[in-house]
């Protein structure tokens, strides 16, 4: 299969590309600001989610598009909507034009509570956009907090616990759900 992946230079994207290429799929990664490491069976297209010609090249012949790219931190609330929502809509339109056979959107658990933050709302809005394109079979997943090698966010929690400090969610009776990046990729 030919699989197009956004966010290929990211924490989840790197191991996903390796895993898919290792089992014989041809992967095409959209490279925006951070370089995507070369790998066997990998083609890299330079461009952004706002670059229609790059999106057309990136999606040409793709059977599946996996959309991992997004902002988890931003300077302004509007930046979340520009990247997480509007760029997702642009990608969905390009995928529809390229006749992609399946679309997988990797969202966030935060999307279930959109009132909590601009990030959460932008991810929920993006889910709604993805699901409204009923002409492309779609899946939306909301992984738990992802940790593993090269993690710069969730790992801080584990470091704190190792030092004897723990943040208890809620009033001490809350729950935290985590998944290792390799388990998510599988």
């Amino acid at each position: 299969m030919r699989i197009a992946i956004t966010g290929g230079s990211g924490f989840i994207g790197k191991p996903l590309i390796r895993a898919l290429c290792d089992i014989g799929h041809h992967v095409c990664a959209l490279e925006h600001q951070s370089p995507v490491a070369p790998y066997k069976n990998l083609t890299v297209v330079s461009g952004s989610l706002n670059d229609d010609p790059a999106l057309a090249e990136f999606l040409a012949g793709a059977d599946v598009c996996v959309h991992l790219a997004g902002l988890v931190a931003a300077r302004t609330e509007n930046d979340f909507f520009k990247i997480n929502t509007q760029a997702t809509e642009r990608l969905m339109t390009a995928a529809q034009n390229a006749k992609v056979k399946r679309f997988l959107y990797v969202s966030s658990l935060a999307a279930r509570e959109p009132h909590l933050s601009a990030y959460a709302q932008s991810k929920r809005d993006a889910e709604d956009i993805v699901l409204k394109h009923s002409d492309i079979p779609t899946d939306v997943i909301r992984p738990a907090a992802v940790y593993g090698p090269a993690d710069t966010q969730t790992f801080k929690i584990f470091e704190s616990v190792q030092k004897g400090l723990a943040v208890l969610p809620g009033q001490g009776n809350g729950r935290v759900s985590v998944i290792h990046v390799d388990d998510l990729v599988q």
Side-chain angles (χ1 to χ4, degrees):
M1 287 177 48
R2 181 172 162 83
I3 303 170
I5 297 178
T6 67
S9 64
F11 173 57
I12 299 169
K14 289 177 197 176
L16 180 60
I17 287 172
R18 286 191 304 271
L20 292 171
C21 288
D22 284 347
I23 60 175
H25 295 296
H26 178 81
V27 175
C28 185
L30 185 64
E31 180 179 73
H32 179 47
Q33 293 176 334
S34 301
V36 175
Y39 206 73
K40 65 181 178 181
N41 300 332
L42 174 66
T43 301
V44 176
V45 172
S46 293
S48 75
L49 292 169
N50 293 314
D51 181 347
D52 290 333
L55 288 179
E57 180 184 352
F58 164 66
L59 294 167
D63 297 298
V64 177
C65 179
V66 179
H67 183 31
L68 292 168
L71 286 183
V72 294
R75 289 187 196 138
T76 69
E77 288 187 356
N78 194 41
D79 289 342
F80 285 120
F81 294 96
K82 283 181 185 173
I83 300 303
N84 294 345
T85 308
Q86 294 166 8
T88 298
E89 185 162 31
R90 185 177 221 105
L91 179 62
M92 278 302 299
T93 299
Q96 185 176 6
N97 292 340
K99 305 208 181 325
V100 170
K101 296 174 185 80
R102 182 158 215 90
F103 192 94
L104 172 63
Y105 177 54
V106 181
S107 184
S108 168
L109 277 179
R112 65 193 172 127
E113 299 290 342
H115 63 280
L116 293 178
S117 67
Y119 169 74
Q121 184 66 60
S122 71
K123 295 301 267 187
R124 173 53 93 49
D125 291 352
E127 288 181 5
D128 293 342
I129 287 165
V130 167
L131 294 172
K132 84 173 184 183
H133 282 271
S134 59
D135 48 332
I136 300 175
T138 60
D139 293 294
V140 173
I141 63 170
R142 295 176 176 169
V146 183
Y147 72 97
D151 171 27
T152 60
Q153 300 298 317
T154 310
F155 188 70
K156 292 173 186 174
I157 297 169
F158 292 105
E159 284 180 321
S160 296
V161 170
Q162 187 177 28
K163 293 175 184 176
L165 304 170
V167 175
L168 300 175
Q171 296 179 8
N173 59 357
R175 298 179 187 182
V176 175
S177 181
V178 296
I179 185 168
H180 191 276
V181 67
D182 291 340
D183 293 329
L184 177 59
V185 164
Q186 288 303 316

